[in-house]
Amino acid sequence: MTIKTVKCTSPSNIAFVKYWGKYGRQLPMNPSISMTLKNCHTVCEVTYQIDDKNPGLKSFQFENEENSAFSERIEKFLESISDIYPLVNSLSLEVKTSNSFPHSAGIASSASAMSALCFCLAQIESEVNGESDKILEKASFMSRLASGSACRSIYPDYASWGEYTSCSHSSNEYASLFTEFHESFKKVKDTILIVSSETKGVSSSLGHTLMNGHPFKDSRKEQALENMRVITNAMKLGDWDTFGEILENEALTLHALMMTSNPSFILLKPESLSIIDKIRSFRKKTKTPLYFTIDAGPNMHLIYPEAVHKDVMNFIESDLKEHCENGKYIEDEIGVGSVLL
Ligand code: DP6
C-alpha cells in the first residue's frame, strides 16, 4: 500500500462580527465575518495510506511530542465525520502539528489547528477520489464541524460564515470568501496585546451553550444581522469610522453577553479596560483609524490599516505595552488562508 504525505499551513482568524451561540450540528446562531491572519498559524502534516482493515489515527504529535488529549479530540472528530467523509473508514493516518505561536500565549489555537487538519483531509479526499472540485468549501465544512470559527480560516483576506440577506451565496454550513472590500482594507494589521496568557475561565463551547437560555438571545440575533449589514457595507466603502464603531460594539457585546449569562463570566481584566480607554483617547486626539476587538478572553486585538502602522507601534510602545503581561504583544496581519506546503 502506498504511503503518502500531505502538508499544509493554516492560520488563525479574528472575527469582526462574532459567532456566539449555535444550534443543531454546529450551525451558527448568527452570521459572522473575520479577517484571516498570517503569523499565528498551524503547520500540519498528515501521512496516510488506504487500509480498509485497519483505519484510524495511528499516531499524533504536537510539537514533536505525543499528545493524548489532542489525539483523543481528533479521534472523536474523525469518527463524527464518517457520514460526510466516508473515506475516513479506509484511511490509516499519522498526524503531526506545530504552532507558530506559543500554546500558552492566550491565543485560541483551535481555528488554525482544526482548519489545517481539515484542509489536509480535503486534499487527501481529492487525491484519492480524483475530484478537485470545491476543495475549499469541503475543508471549510469539515472545519466547522471541528470548531465553528475554524471554517473561516481556510480563505484569504476575509471570510463570512452564516446566512445573511445581503449575501446570496452565504451558508450556515461553510464559510465563503468575502471579496467586496475597498482598497484601504487590502493591507490591514492586527497587533495582539497579551494582557494575560492564562487559560481562559470559560470554554467557547460553554459560552455558546449559554446563549440558548440567554435573556438577550433574540435581540443578539437581530443585532448581529444588522452589524453584518453595516460592517460589510463600511468595508465596501472604505468607511473606517463606521467599521470601527461596529468592530468595538461587537467585542463589547460578546463580553456583555458573557457577563449577563447564567452563570456569568467576566473575562476582561482591568488592564483590558485601561487599553480601551487609551485607544479611544488616542483616536480622538490624533484621528488615527485604530480600533480594537476582543475574543473570549482578556487579550486585545488592535485593528488598523497598514498605512498607520508606524504611528500605532509608537503608541503601543509608549502607552499600551505597560498593560501587557511581560510587555508582550504579537504582530500579525491579513493573510492568505490555508496553503499546501
Ligand atoms: C468568540 O469556534 O472556539 O472566537 O465552535 O465551540 O469550537 P466552537 O467555538 P469557537 O468559538 C469562537 C467564538 C469567538 C468568536 C468568533 O471567532 O467568531
Side-chain angles (χ1 to χ4, degrees):
M1 271 167 278
T2 337
I3 300 175
K4 288 189 174 170
T5 296
V6 168
K7 191 174 177 182
C8 81
T9 170
S10 195
S12 187
N13 68 76
I14 179 70
F16 294 166
V17 171
K18 308 290 181 183
Y19 146 57
W20 201 239
K22 56 180 163 185
Y23 68 96
R25 196 173 171 187
Q26 287 270 105
L27 297 165
M29 192 184 88
N30 61 267
S32 57
I33 183 164
S34 60
M35 180 171 94
T36 300
L37 297 181
K38 181 178 173 186
N39 300 333
C40 293
H41 64 261
T42 296
V43 173
C44 178
E45 185 180 305
V46 181
T47 302
Y48 72 95
Q49 59 178 316
I50 302 290
D51 188 346
D52 296 304
K53 297 207 176 66
N54 191 17
L57 184 65
K58 299 301 161 209
S59 74
F60 176 81
Q61 283 186 2
F62 176 64
E63 323 255 88
N64 292 320
E65 281 179 25
E66 305 273 316
N67 185 313
S68 56
F70 287 174
S71 176
E72 274 169 35
R73 182 168 174 193
I74 291 177
E75 264 174 279
K76 263 200 191 145
F77 168 65
L78 292 173
E79 278 166 27
S80 77
I81 56 167
S82 64
D83 58 340
I84 57 136
Y85 191 82
L87 188 61
V88 76
N89 294 323
S90 21
L91 279 183
S92 164
L93 298 165
E94 288 177 20
V95 179
K96 284 184 188 172
T97 71
S98 58
N99 286 347
S100 64
F101 48 100
H103 190 52
S104 58
I107 307 287
S109 57
S110 64
S112 59
M114 290 308 178
S115 59
L117 174 68
C118 293
F119 187 70
C120 284
L121 292 175
Q123 291 296 333
I124 293 172
E125 186 178 56
S126 107
E127 279 180 17
V128 173
N129 297 343
E131 290 163 14
S132 55
D133 218 29
K134 298 195 169 173
I135 294 188
L136 296 187
E137 202 173 287
K138 185 72 188 266
S140 179
F141 191 109
M142 287 195 283
S143 302
R144 171 200 117 230
L145 294 174
S147 176
S149 58
C151 75
R152 299 182 309 235
S153 280
I154 306 288
Y155 301 96
D157 303 332
Y158 302 100
S160 72
W161 169 39
E163 286 159 17
Y164 67 108
T165 36
S166 50
C167 179
S168 57
H169 61 270
S170 59
S171 167
N172 281 344
E173 298 194 311
Y174 51 86
S176 26
L177 193 60
F178 174 77
T179 50
E180 281 181 77
F181 53 89
H182 185 262
E183 178 81 25
S184 63
F185 277 89
K186 261 188 189 153
K187 291 189 172 168
V188 176
K189 297 272 183 189
D190 175 9
T191 303
I192 309 161
L193 306 183
I194 309 299
V195 166
S196 167
S197 57
E198 274 171 34
T199 334
K200 52 193 180 188
V202 55
S203 70
S204 297
S205 288
L206 175 59
H208 290 296
T209 309
L210 291 175
M211 281 312 291
N212 285 332
H214 201 290
F216 302 142
K217 179 178 174 176
D218 291 339
S219 44
R220 166 58 189 157
K221 281 202 229 171
E222 274 173 40
Q223 178 205 33
L225 282 171
E226 177 63 5
N227 280 351
M228 275 301 276
R229 189 186 67 76
V230 178
I231 209 168
T232 51
N233 197 40
M235 288 171 75
K236 250 177 234 172
L237 300 174
D239 175 355
W240 274 83
D241 284 352
T242 305
F243 164 80
E245 201 181 295
I246 303 296
L247 186 78
E248 296 189 353
N249 173 264
E250 276 290 316
L252 297 175
T253 296
L254 173 71
H255 284 266
L257 289 168
M258 289 190 275
M259 286 183 204
T260 51
S261 64
N262 184 11
S264 135
F265 295 96
I266 302 181
L267 301 187
L268 294 176
K269 302 276 184 210
E271 301 293 351
S272 319
L273 300 182
S274 302
I275 292 170
I276 293 176
D277 259 358
K278 285 189 173 176
I279 289 176
R280 289 185 164 175
S281 308
F282 174 77
R283 199 165 59 222
K284 208 166 173 193
K285 207 168 84 191
T286 65
K287 307 273 178 276
T288 308
L290 168 66
Y291 301 90
F292 66 82
T293 184
I294 325 168
D295 262 350
N299 299 330
M300 305 293 298
H301 289 250
L302 272 50
I303 308 291
Y304 53 96
E306 192 189 58
V308 297
H309 183 226
K310 216 167 146 213
D311 296 343
V312 171
M313 288 318 292
N314 287 338
F315 171 56
I316 291 174
E317 284 291 326
S318 63
D319 287 68
L320 303 182
K321 200 175 161 174
E322 65 193 75
H323 301 291
C324 300
E325 187 181 79
N326 304 319
K328 200 170 168 351
Y329 58 83
I330 296 175
E331 286 198 72
D332 214 329
E333 60 190 357
I334 194 163
V336 296
S338 310
V339 176
L340 277 180
L341 294 174

